[in-house]
Amino acid sequence: MTGNLRDKKGRPVIVVTGFGIVTSLGRGMADNWAALTAGRSGIHPITRFSTEGLSTKIAGTIDGLEIGDISAPGLAKAFATASIAEAISQSGIGSSGSFPGPLFLATPPAEVEWPLRRQIYECARNGSPVSNAQMKRAAREGAYQDQHALFLFGQVGEYLADKFGTLGQPISLSTACASGGTAIQLGVEAIRRGETDAALCVGTDGSVHTESLIRFSLLSALSTRNDPPKKASRPFAKDRDGFVMAEGSAALVLESYDAAKARGAKILGVLRGCGERADDFHRTRSTPDGTPIIGAIRNALDDAGVEPRQIDYINAHGTSTPENDKIEYISLANVFGEHLAGTPISSNKSIVGHTLTAAGAVEAAFSLMTIATGTIPPTINYDTPDPEMPLDVVPNEKRDSSVEIVLSNSFGFGGQNVCLVLSAEPA
Amino acid sequence: MENRQMEEVWITGIGLVSSLGEGCEDHWRSMGNGGSCEPVVDAETFAPYAVHPLGEVDFSSQVPKRGDLRQMGPWQRLGTYTAGLALSDAGVAGDPAYLNKMDMIIAADGGERDIEVDIAVLEGIGRRNDPEVFLNEALSTQLRPTLFLAQLPNLMAGNISIVHKVCGSSRTFMGEEMAGVSAAQIAVKKIRHGQSELCLIGGAYNAERDDMQFAFELGHYLWPGEFEPLWERRKKGGGIVNGSVGAFLVLESKSHATARGARAYAQLSEVLADRCDRAPGAAARNAREQFDALGASLEPGPLAVLSGACGAEPVTGEERAFLEGLSDKGFDVSARAVSSMLGHSVEAQFLSGLALAAIAASKKQLFGPVAGSDFEKPYDGCPDRILVTSWGHWRGEGMALVETLAA
């Protein structure tokens, strides 16, 4: 045995030894961090499909990947493959095709998509309308076995487990827009239980397609400020009008501090604590007084053993919807009290857009970069402050500041709330 | 942490709804009493595909607000309803002292699509020379705004929080059959290590859905013939007969259950999960390793098995051979295919197997063999340990051990 480092609760200290990322800002952390800190938006007009007649015509898609037929699970796989490869390479853990721990994967739900549905419909039709029973028969008579597997929920995880040689059954999960945070939390818990020294925690999302865009539009969740696209996402601003869908993936290699030290790995930061709490108020809205989010933040701080005043920076969920940003402010004001005014808080989503299933992982990786570099990325498009939420949102320009401990928030439809506390390597 | 005494995991609440009825007693009556089980099959509605249909359910008894019911599709309704049954059964329903700290892990698929809209769009789109624009118009005007929420996997958990006030935590696992295995496995690990003391796990499957049958038929997985018990289908190539099932369990640490004076059905001693590429023999190799890992505590002799086999081949035949091969180690296997009785319920499959195992353990008697099976044989006496398996129709192998509690 080398070290035996435990946290205040007697549990193994958990560190991050690798991260990888792909978003509309670029591939790899170097490009992403340069764009993020420069406030260079990745939001642009959608070209993947026609947006004629739609109220929202912009997104943070990742284009130009050579993956053959575009499908949401195909993109989710491609993005995750890129982010995991970067994270493992940086970490130097395991050997090629052999990662010594389990995979926890935040991945979007998959469904048979319109091109395939049309193809089968055309096969089934013989000049006359087709019933659902005829669609099933056409499916059975055709050669679509690969398509069956492509649209299984477990398929992305199975593919990644094969490719990177993770141990055991991968866990695919969804807690909506908090999913990336939940994937990390599952990894933290597994290492704390002592069942593994390492875990691969990943969020990925490639769901910008016609139907998903329309579904979010019908819920009035999306910004319709199409021109110019880069000005659409404006978290915490008074004139915010919705989020902007985006694609991406981030992967984190988690290890026990002892195992990382024993193999001489470079430590990028510490996963100090996680907290969660479910909301019972409404399917898409939070309890107006913020009680569940307050509970999730307090649980995370308690799990990490830190006080609100010790938090140097908050990486906000900050979606740019009127509802989210308001409740996030109310909740933070409750927990932080007078300390909130002096605590910088910024939203990566102002620049990246909302990477949905991946967001929690993407923002955890960016939080670690803030700790490592002492640079806080800005909240862009903050031209009209909302007087109801007096916050230091690091408006429009990055800021250099020593940051030791970060709180990163993720909230999702269905009452999902997950908060992470990340910090610098223990001295 | 390492030196801490491991907590035992007890099953203290069961919610089970299927074609055979609702709750433990309905299922015990239909499947037990030493007789054989006669499955309930609807061969007409989705012909040529048979399904085990959901019986009459009064959803309002667990979901009293009509507004809540309207927000859900049949799949979410079934899960939310069954979750309520499990909470009531455990004696924690409506009690914030328990619900506020209760963790929740749901094994989920997506909810129903609006297949009328789908077919209308497909019919219209072929007549247009601007199909993408037509799709935009059609979906924007024809999809109900709240349909999306009825389709999102994690909104079953969301509805359970709203309706039943389970608020400690909420996680949704995906990935077909293995989602159910992983939900149980993570809950057991968390309780054993003191990361949770009270946890609701569950899943539901609506078999009466054209969209899911279509997805299965892309892979040619369904059984298109006259209904036959699961083990017998391999003579004609095998196939899945789906069943509508809701299966929820309240898992609890022994100390928490004891402190509140809860009645327990059984102990959930272990849950194991693994995967392979499904090369011939690979799944059985995983199962043998899992059995060996459990086997250290198992004396040879009679062994009751609730198999989650789905009916598709070659995976079902491989599992049967694995179970038959346990005789080499001195285990005399009496297997029951859960899918023969309730139908295959994918995400809920393993969880329904756990629920049935807990019922049998508490009744101190195994269910009867399904009618017409050449593999399932009677089991005499009390099944003090029950093996529960679930192999995914495409990937993944799970195994659990349920044991009776000392009187």
Side-chain angles (χ1 to χ4, degrees):
Chain A
M1 288 290 288
T2 50
N4 192 28
L5 192 66
R6 294 291 179 266
D7 66 13
K8 288 176 185 168
K9 296 176 194 283
R11 306 169 302 195
V13 169
I14 291 161
V15 298
V16 179
T17 58
F19 45 60
I21 190 164
V22 52
T23 72
S24 59
L25 304 186
R27 294 189 210 173
M29 186 53 95
D31 286 358
N32 269 276
W33 189 244
L36 188 77
T37 51
R40 206 159 54 234
S41 170
I43 312 302
H44 49 254
I46 293 168
T47 55
R48 185 177 296 157
F49 52 88
S50 166
T51 56
E52 194 177 327
L54 302 183
S55 48
T56 294
K57 301 169 183 288
I58 55 170
T61 55
I62 301 174
D63 302 316
L65 285 162
E66 289 163 7
I67 65 162
D69 291 342
I70 298 278
S71 67
L75 290 170
K77 269 195 288 193
F79 302 154
T81 301
S83 72
I84 295 171
E86 182 186 4
I88 291 179
S89 160
Q90 182 180 30
S91 164
I93 194 169
S95 54
S96 178
S98 173
F99 181 91
L103 169 65
F104 298 105
L105 177 70
T107 184
E111 280 185 283
V112 174
E113 293 177 8
W114 284 101
L116 176 61
R117 220 178 266 130
R118 283 191 66 191
Q119 186 188 339
I120 295 174
Y121 188 88
E122 293 305 327
C123 285
R125 111 196 234 130
N126 206 351
S128 55
V130 173
S131 68
N132 279 295
Q134 289 167 311
M135 286 287 282
K136 284 182 269 187
R137 192 182 315 141
R140 187 174 189 86
E141 287 166 1
Y144 303 108
Q145 283 95 330
D146 291 350
Q147 302 287 319
H148 163 79
L150 179 63
F151 296 113
L152 291 174
F153 282 13
Q155 194 259 0
V156 176
E158 287 292 325
Y159 170 85
L160 296 172
D162 273 334
K163 178 146 188 87
F164 294 101
T166 54
L167 297 181
Q169 173 66 32
I171 289 185
S172 304
L173 66 103
S174 172
T175 54
C177 299
S179 300
T182 302
I184 291 168
Q185 189 177 22
L186 281 159
V188 167
E189 289 175 351
I191 296 173
R192 282 180 179 169
R193 289 192 296 263
E195 68 198 37
T196 180
D197 281 331
L200 184 57
C201 302
V202 183
T204 186
D205 207 314
S207 312
V208 179
H209 54 71
T210 306
E211 191 167 333
S212 66
L213 188 76
I214 290 171
R215 285 166 168 171
F216 277 119
S217 273
L218 288 171
L219 291 173
S220 307
L222 299 181
S223 173
T224 56
R225 219 183 289 268
N226 293 309
D227 190 22
K230 68 173 89 159
K231 298 291 283 183
S233 181
R234 43 185 79 187
F236 303 111
K238 189 166 191 297
D239 53 359
R240 65 192 185 275
D241 75 330
F243 74 80
V244 178
M245 289 180 78
E247 297 177 327
S249 174
L252 283 79
V253 174
L254 265 48
E255 290 185 71
S256 73
Y257 177 86
D258 299 345
K261 275 290 174 197
R263 66 179 188 86
K266 180 172 163 46
I267 289 170
L268 306 170
V270 178
L271 225 310
R272 281 279 280 270
C274 319
E276 63 195 323
R277 182 102 200 124
D279 196 328
D280 62 1
F281 180 68
H282 187 268
R283 285 155 193 86
T284 58
R285 294 174 53 210
S286 300
T287 301
D289 69 2
T291 316
I293 291 177
I294 292 165
I297 297 171
R298 289 223 167 100
N299 288 344
L301 295 174
D302 176 67
D303 192 53
V306 304
E307 299 290 330
R309 62 182 162 71
Q310 293 176 268
I311 298 290
D312 300 310
Y313 162 63
I314 299 165
N315 187 307
H317 187 55
T319 58
S320 181
T321 64
E323 167 86 3
N324 172 81
D325 298 0
K326 181 176 149 200
I327 303 291
E328 188 166 12
Y329 166 76
I330 289 171
S331 306
L332 288 168
N334 182 293
V335 175
F336 284 77
E338 62 186 26
H339 297 294
L340 185 58
T343 307
I345 169 171
S346 67
S347 169
N348 303 155
K349 294 186 183 78
S350 65
I351 301 160
V352 179
H354 189 350
T355 56
L356 304 169
T357 308
V362 164
E363 290 160 22
F366 283 147
S367 296
L368 289 163
M369 280 299 284
T370 295
I371 292 168
T373 62
T375 299
I376 300 178
T379 304
I380 63 165
N381 301 324
Y382 192 73
D383 302 326
T384 318
D386 186 337
E388 286 183 27
M389 43 183 92
L391 290 166
D392 171 10
V393 299
V394 194
N396 304 320
E397 296 288 334
K398 70 178 179 185
R399 185 183 304 162
D400 290 331
S401 173
S402 169
V403 173
E404 287 268 320
I405 308 183
V406 176
L407 171 70
S408 177
N409 292 335
S410 296
F411 314 128
F413 284 175
Q416 310 279 181
N417 303 298
V418 180
C419 300
L420 305 176
V421 176
L422 306 104
S423 70
E425 180 180 3
Chain B
M1 225 20 215
E2 293 88 341
N3 297 327
R4 179 187 187 119
Q5 181 80 34
M6 294 285 173
E7 278 279 0
E8 281 186 18
V9 181
W10 285 7
I11 298 169
T12 57
I14 294 175
L16 186 62
V17 181
S18 77
S19 55
L20 296 180
E22 164 177 327
C24 298
E25 292 306 321
D26 272 7
H27 285 87
W28 180 247
R29 265 194 306 277
S30 301
M31 301 163 61
N33 288 330
S36 66
C37 174
E38 289 286 347
V40 176
V41 178
D42 172 2
E44 307 298 323
T45 309
F46 297 95
Y49 309 107
V51 296
H52 299 258
L54 196 64
E56 192 89 352
V57 175
D58 174 17
F59 289 103
S60 67
S61 65
Q62 285 293 339
V63 189
K65 287 188 188 160
R66 295 175 66 85
D68 283 334
L69 282 173
R70 269 201 305 273
Q71 293 283 325
M72 306 181 214
W75 167 74
Q76 285 180 359
R77 259 179 233 142
L78 178 56
T80 307
Y81 177 82
T82 314
L85 294 184
L87 296 172
S88 301
D89 191 52
V92 298
D95 191 337
Y98 297 122
L99 299 174
N100 273 330
K101 68 176 176 184
M102 181 177 250
D103 295 303
M104 169 164 54
I105 309 179
I106 302 300
D109 184 24
E112 294 81 4
R113 295 183 63 83
D114 187 334
I115 56 167
E116 305 299 325
V117 171
D118 284 355
I119 285 288
V121 168
L122 289 167
E123 178 56 23
I125 204 167
R127 302 167 191 275
R128 296 278 294 249
N129 49 18
D130 53 353
E132 287 202 346
V133 178
F134 175 80
L135 187 64
N136 292 350
E137 280 171 19
L139 295 179
S140 295
T141 54
Q142 295 179 42
L143 289 180
R144 276 179 295 115
T146 54
L147 179 70
F148 183 25
L149 300 174
Q151 292 178 307
L152 279 176
N154 75 303
L155 261 289
M156 179 181 285
N159 278 298
I160 292 168
S161 290
I162 289 168
V163 173
H164 302 301
K165 308 295 167 194
V166 176
C167 287
S169 68
S170 166
R171 300 178 186 174
T172 295
F173 288 178
M174 308 189 300
E176 293 70 45
E177 293 87 351
M178 295 312 286
V181 177
S182 295
Q185 184 182 38
I186 293 293
V188 165
K189 286 177 172 178
K190 280 172 69 83
I191 293 172
R192 208 185 270 160
H193 288 263
Q195 293 175 334
S196 174
E197 48 188 5
L198 184 62
C199 192
L200 177 70
I201 62 172
Y205 189 77
N206 175 14
E208 297 150 82
R209 277 177 75 167
D210 284 306
D211 54 352
M212 287 307 297
Q213 292 175 1
F214 172 69
F216 267 109
E217 278 302 59
L218 290 174
H220 306 173
Y221 277 100
L222 297 183
W223 171 256
E226 197 170 323
F227 179 79
E228 288 192 39
L230 178 130
W231 304 113
E232 323 314 318
R233 289 175 212 155
R234 67 174 166 167
K235 294 163 201 155
K236 296 179 196 160
I240 293 172
V241 177
N242 285 129
S244 293
V245 175
F248 278 71
L249 298 100
V250 174
L251 303 183
E252 194 165 354
S253 69
K254 175 184 177 181
S255 51
H256 191 271
T258 310
R260 71 179 183 96
R263 167 220 48 192
Y265 288 93
Q267 180 182 348
L268 180 48
S269 308
E270 186 62 276
V271 179
L272 301 171
D274 210 343
R275 62 182 296 275
C276 64
D277 61 4
R278 287 292 169 88
R285 198 153 49 241
N286 276 345
R288 276 196 299 275
E289 282 176 15
Q290 290 170 340
F291 189 80
D292 288 346
L294 297 176
S297 63
L298 294 182
E299 290 289 324
L303 182 64
V305 178
L306 289 178
S307 164
C310 65
E313 293 295 344
V315 59
T316 298
E318 189 167 317
E319 183 177 344
R320 178 173 169 161
F322 156 73
L323 293 172
E324 288 170 333
L326 292 180
S327 61
D328 297 346
K329 299 172 190 283
F331 291 94
D332 181 18
V333 167
S334 288
R336 304 287 179 265
V338 174
S339 283
S340 283
M341 305 182 280
L342 307 186
H344 186 59
S345 60
V346 198
E347 289 82 9
Q349 179 69 13
F350 185 69
L351 300 161
S352 61
L354 292 180
L356 291 173
I359 293 170
S362 71
K363 295 286 185 185
K364 303 194 182 305
Q365 192 185 340
L366 191 62
F367 305 103
V370 74
S373 172
D374 68 353
F375 178 49
E376 301 189 0
K377 60 184 189 189
Y379 184 98
D380 297 324
C382 171
D384 52 1
R385 68 232 174 136
I386 302 175
L387 204 66
V388 181
T389 68
S390 182
W391 294 12
H393 72 279
W394 180 65
R395 284 287 188 276
E397 296 82 33
M399 185 181 286
L401 184 65
V402 173
E403 295 180 282
T404 50
L405 292 165

mmCIF file of all heavy atoms in Angstrom, chain B residues 14 95 159 171 183 197 217 221 223 277 296 315 337 340 375 400:
data_model
loop_
_atom_site.group_PDB
_atom_site.id
_atom_site.type_symbol
_atom_site.label_atom_id
_atom_site.label_comp_id
_atom_site.label_asym_id
_atom_site.label_seq_id
_atom_site.Cartn_x
_atom_site.Cartn_y
_atom_site.Cartn_z
ATOM 1 N N ILE B 14 -43.627 -4.840 -2.051
ATOM 2 C CA ILE B 14 -43.736 -5.344 -3.419
ATOM 3 C C ILE B 14 -44.944 -4.714 -4.092
ATOM 4 O O ILE B 14 -46.041 -4.675 -3.521
ATOM 5 C CB ILE B 14 -43.900 -6.883 -3.440
ATOM 6 C CG1 ILE B 14 -42.621 -7.563 -2.912
ATOM 7 C CG2 ILE B 14 -44.217 -7.375 -4.862
ATOM 8 C CD1 ILE B 14 -42.741 -9.061 -2.790
ATOM 9 N N ASP B 95 -45.868 8.899 4.111
ATOM 10 C CA ASP B 95 -45.121 9.269 5.319
ATOM 11 C C ASP B 95 -43.839 10.016 4.946
ATOM 12 O O ASP B 95 -42.843 9.403 4.552
ATOM 13 C CB ASP B 95 -44.778 8.015 6.123
ATOM 14 C CG ASP B 95 -44.241 8.356 7.505
ATOM 15 O OD1 ASP B 95 -43.722 9.489 7.680
ATOM 16 O OD2 ASP B 95 -44.337 7.493 8.398
ATOM 17 N N ASN B 159 -42.798 11.411 -12.323
ATOM 18 C CA ASN B 159 -44.198 11.271 -11.916
ATOM 19 C C ASN B 159 -44.330 10.602 -10.554
ATOM 20 O O ASN B 159 -45.228 10.935 -9.778
ATOM 21 C CB ASN B 159 -44.979 10.484 -12.973
ATOM 22 C CG ASN B 159 -45.408 11.377 -14.128
ATOM 23 O OD1 ASN B 159 -46.165 12.313 -13.942
ATOM 24 N ND2 ASN B 159 -44.884 11.102 -15.317
ATOM 25 N N ARG B 171 -33.036 8.443 -9.855
ATOM 26 C CA ARG B 171 -32.138 8.081 -10.962
ATOM 27 C C ARG B 171 -32.866 7.131 -11.890
ATOM 28 O O ARG B 171 -33.618 6.274 -11.426
ATOM 29 C CB ARG B 171 -30.867 7.409 -10.445
ATOM 30 C CG ARG B 171 -30.070 8.296 -9.521
ATOM 31 C CD ARG B 171 -28.844 7.563 -9.008
ATOM 32 N NE ARG B 171 -28.167 8.371 -8.000
ATOM 33 C CZ ARG B 171 -27.128 7.944 -7.301
ATOM 34 N NH1 ARG B 171 -26.643 6.731 -7.485
ATOM 35 N NH2 ARG B 171 -26.562 8.729 -6.406
ATOM 36 N N ALA B 183 -30.370 -1.509 -11.779
ATOM 37 C CA ALA B 183 -31.112 -0.778 -10.744
ATOM 38 C C ALA B 183 -31.067 -1.549 -9.431
ATOM 39 O O ALA B 183 -30.792 -0.985 -8.365
ATOM 40 C CB ALA B 183 -32.558 -0.547 -11.189
ATOM 41 N N GLU B 197 -30.430 3.729 3.006
ATOM 42 C CA GLU B 197 -31.039 2.739 3.909
ATOM 43 C C GLU B 197 -32.434 2.345 3.445
ATOM 44 O O GLU B 197 -33.009 1.381 3.959
ATOM 45 C CB GLU B 197 -31.065 3.256 5.353
ATOM 46 C CG GLU B 197 -31.583 4.655 5.515
ATOM 47 C CD GLU B 197 -31.393 5.166 6.945
ATOM 48 O OE1 GLU B 197 -30.788 4.481 7.784
ATOM 49 O OE2 GLU B 197 -31.876 6.277 7.216
ATOM 50 N N GLU B 217 -39.390 -6.022 -33.975
ATOM 51 C CA GLU B 217 -39.428 -6.749 -35.237
ATOM 52 C C GLU B 217 -38.347 -6.305 -36.225
ATOM 53 O O GLU B 217 -38.017 -7.052 -37.150
ATOM 54 C CB GLU B 217 -40.823 -6.661 -35.867
ATOM 55 C CG GLU B 217 -41.804 -7.675 -35.289
ATOM 56 C CD GLU B 217 -41.328 -9.126 -35.445
ATOM 57 O OE1 GLU B 217 -40.241 -9.454 -34.923
ATOM 58 O OE2 GLU B 217 -42.018 -9.915 -36.099
ATOM 59 N N TYR B 221 -37.382 -10.365 -33.489
ATOM 60 C CA TYR B 221 -37.336 -11.008 -32.176
ATOM 61 C C TYR B 221 -38.666 -11.591 -31.703
ATOM 62 O O TYR B 221 -38.689 -12.404 -30.792
ATOM 63 C CB TYR B 221 -36.853 -10.003 -31.113
ATOM 64 C CG TYR B 221 -35.350 -9.874 -31.047
ATOM 65 C CD1 TYR B 221 -34.687 -8.817 -31.650
ATOM 66 C CD2 TYR B 221 -34.593 -10.837 -30.387
ATOM 67 C CE1 TYR B 221 -33.312 -8.696 -31.591
ATOM 68 C CE2 TYR B 221 -33.219 -10.733 -30.319
ATOM 69 C CZ TYR B 221 -32.582 -9.664 -30.926
ATOM 70 O OH TYR B 221 -31.219 -9.559 -30.857
ATOM 71 N N TRP B 223 -42.312 -13.584 -31.346
ATOM 72 C CA TRP B 223 -42.863 -14.906 -31.671
ATOM 73 C C TRP B 223 -44.185 -14.681 -32.405
ATOM 74 O O TRP B 223 -45.155 -14.175 -31.822
ATOM 75 C CB TRP B 223 -43.102 -15.662 -30.366
ATOM 76 C CG TRP B 223 -43.844 -16.956 -30.470
ATOM 77 C CD1 TRP B 223 -45.144 -17.194 -30.129
ATOM 78 C CD2 TRP B 223 -43.325 -18.215 -30.905
ATOM 79 N NE1 TRP B 223 -45.472 -18.494 -30.318
ATOM 80 C CE2 TRP B 223 -44.378 -19.157 -30.806
ATOM 81 C CE3 TRP B 223 -42.083 -18.628 -31.392
ATOM 82 C CZ2 TRP B 223 -44.214 -20.487 -31.165
ATOM 83 C CZ3 TRP B 223 -41.928 -19.958 -31.740
ATOM 84 C CH2 TRP B 223 -42.962 -20.876 -31.626
ATOM 85 N N ASP B 277 -20.033 -10.494 -25.839
ATOM 86 C CA ASP B 277 -20.408 -10.186 -27.223
ATOM 87 C C ASP B 277 -21.416 -11.182 -27.783
ATOM 88 O O ASP B 277 -21.769 -11.118 -28.944
ATOM 89 C CB ASP B 277 -19.161 -10.145 -28.107
ATOM 90 C CG ASP B 277 -18.442 -11.488 -28.127
ATOM 91 O OD1 ASP B 277 -18.947 -12.470 -27.529
ATOM 92 O OD2 ASP B 277 -17.356 -11.571 -28.740
ATOM 93 N N ALA B 296 -20.340 -20.070 -3.349
ATOM 94 C CA ALA B 296 -19.585 -20.297 -2.124
ATOM 95 C C ALA B 296 -20.528 -20.484 -0.939
ATOM 96 O O ALA B 296 -20.221 -21.216 0.000
ATOM 97 C CB ALA B 296 -18.645 -19.115 -1.876
ATOM 98 N N VAL B 315 -30.326 -17.443 -27.390
ATOM 99 C CA VAL B 315 -29.967 -17.112 -26.006
ATOM 100 C C VAL B 315 -30.785 -17.925 -24.995
ATOM 101 O O VAL B 315 -30.263 -18.352 -23.952
ATOM 102 C CB VAL B 315 -30.089 -15.587 -25.769
ATOM 103 C CG1 VAL B 315 -31.493 -15.077 -26.034
ATOM 104 C CG2 VAL B 315 -29.676 -15.217 -24.363
ATOM 105 N N ALA B 337 -39.976 -20.153 -15.913
ATOM 106 C CA ALA B 337 -39.734 -19.019 -16.806
ATOM 107 C C ALA B 337 -40.771 -17.942 -16.502
ATOM 108 O O ALA B 337 -41.962 -18.121 -16.741
ATOM 109 C CB ALA B 337 -39.819 -19.440 -18.262
ATOM 110 N N SER B 340 -43.039 -17.062 -19.365
ATOM 111 C CA SER B 340 -44.152 -17.949 -19.708
ATOM 112 C C SER B 340 -45.421 -17.532 -18.980
ATOM 113 O O SER B 340 -46.521 -17.744 -19.462
ATOM 114 C CB SER B 340 -43.839 -19.396 -19.319
ATOM 115 O OG SER B 340 -42.962 -19.978 -20.244
ATOM 116 N N PHE B 375 -39.737 -28.798 -19.358
ATOM 117 C CA PHE B 375 -38.516 -28.475 -18.622
ATOM 118 C C PHE B 375 -38.811 -28.134 -17.158
ATOM 119 O O PHE B 375 -38.033 -28.465 -16.264
ATOM 120 C CB PHE B 375 -37.809 -27.298 -19.315
ATOM 121 C CG PHE B 375 -36.547 -26.832 -18.622
ATOM 122 C CD1 PHE B 375 -35.566 -27.728 -18.230
ATOM 123 C CD2 PHE B 375 -36.341 -25.476 -18.382
ATOM 124 C CE1 PHE B 375 -34.410 -27.286 -17.603
ATOM 125 C CE2 PHE B 375 -35.189 -25.026 -17.756
ATOM 126 C CZ PHE B 375 -34.232 -25.939 -17.371
ATOM 127 N N ALA B 400 -29.352 -13.006 -9.565
ATOM 128 C CA ALA B 400 -29.526 -12.583 -8.170
ATOM 129 C C ALA B 400 -29.839 -13.789 -7.304
ATOM 130 O O ALA B 400 -30.284 -14.830 -7.785
ATOM 131 C CB ALA B 400 -30.666 -11.568 -8.058
#
